[in-house]
Amino acid sequence: MSTRSAQNKRNQEKLQGTSRQGMARKSASSAKPARAAASSVRVVHTSGKAKRAEIERGEDLSNLSKEEKKARKAELRRQEDRVYTATNIVLKENEDYRRLRRIWWAFLIAGIVALVATWVLLAMFGQESVESGPMRTTQLVLIVAAYAFIIIGFIFDFVKIRPIRNEIRASVSSMSDARIDDILRREAEAARAKEAEKAASKKKK
């Protein structure tokens, strides 16, 4: 049986084809993406609430250092405290808000009084007396009235008071720092004047 020479053209073509196929074949590990490609992606873990707050303010704190983030968050908290305090001052000066708050307190107090009245009935007449006859009806009426007043109070706050509160807070949030400073200064001066009046009245006594 004859042996073909390695220099034969047909054998060389087969050998070259085999080497090309072997070189073209890739292992499973080579199909994975390189780690260096993912090193440029930066993952920042941020809570949903904080992320929404950043979006609303148009800010992105992901590129800041840890110290810069702490300083920025402290500044934001200080600004929020100023807005919250100024909002409460403006609300106290708003006549409609104060009137509606008095009505809300009336509903809440009426509900609490009705609940206390049911406890008084139990304490004065005992469980057996209250559970029978007209005393039971009175207790049920007081309980229903108590819950009705409290629920109406919460609905009243949601429908009547909250829109005013939200509107004033939005208005104060859009104010300049100088305007907020004026509101805080005015409140501080009023508090000092009130303290001076108290001190003067004590001296007269």
Side-chain angles (χ1 to χ4, degrees):
M1 183 176 181
S2 63
T3 304
R4 293 180 179 177
S5 172
Q7 302 299 325
N8 188 293
K9 182 179 180 180
R10 184 180 297 175
N11 288 341
Q12 289 180 357
E13 290 178 353
K14 288 183 178 181
L15 290 173
Q16 290 175 0
T18 303
S19 63
R20 283 197 299 270
Q21 290 176 359
M23 292 296 291
R25 186 177 300 164
K26 294 183 179 181
S27 64
S29 60
S30 64
K32 296 181 180 179
R35 295 181 62 87
S39 63
S40 61
V41 179
R42 184 175 183 180
V43 179
V44 179
H45 298 283
T46 308
S47 64
K49 185 177 180 181
K51 193 66 178 176
R52 286 195 302 271
E54 291 178 10
I55 294 172
E56 289 175 359
R57 291 191 299 264
E59 296 177 343
D60 184 10
L61 305 182
S62 61
N63 295 325
L64 300 179
S65 64
K66 186 176 181 180
E67 290 75 14
E68 289 173 337
K69 286 182 181 179
K70 290 177 65 176
R72 183 56 183 155
K73 289 180 179 179
E75 175 63 22
L76 291 174
R77 283 195 298 268
R78 187 187 70 83
Q79 185 65 21
E80 289 174 358
D81 291 341
R82 281 164 48 83
V83 171
Y84 179 80
T85 304
T87 300
N88 288 335
I89 295 170
V90 176
L91 285 172
K92 288 192 300 182
E93 297 173 349
N94 187 286
E95 183 60 32
D96 290 337
Y97 179 80
R98 289 188 297 174
R99 177 177 58 82
L100 295 175
R101 285 283 291 183
R102 287 193 293 268
I103 297 173
W104 179 79
W105 274 110
F107 283 126
L108 194 62
I109 292 171
I112 293 173
V113 169
L115 282 177
V116 172
T118 59
W119 298 335
V120 171
L121 287 177
L122 288 174
M124 290 179 62
F125 300 100
Q127 184 70 26
E128 295 181 357
S129 298
V130 172
E131 288 182 354
S132 61
M135 296 299 297
R136 178 177 176 80
T137 303
T138 304
Q139 184 189 29
L140 290 175
V141 170
L142 288 173
I143 291 174
V144 171
Y147 283 104
F149 280 127
I150 292 173
I151 292 172
I152 291 172
F154 280 111
I155 295 174
F156 185 82
D157 176 80
F158 185 81
V159 174
K160 294 291 186 179
I161 299 176
R162 182 171 294 184
I164 297 176
R165 187 163 53 239
N166 292 340
E167 181 181 356
I168 291 179
R169 179 173 178 82
S171 176
V172 173
S173 299
S174 63
M175 291 180 181
S176 63
D177 291 340
R179 183 78 180 278
I180 295 176
D181 288 339
D182 290 338
I183 295 173
L184 298 177
R185 190 181 304 110
R186 186 174 68 236
E187 178 67 11
E189 291 175 355
R192 284 195 296 267
K194 189 178 292 185
E195 290 293 330
E197 289 179 1
K198 288 182 180 180
S201 62
K202 287 181 180 180
K203 287 182 180 180
K204 290 181 180 179
K205 293 179 180 180

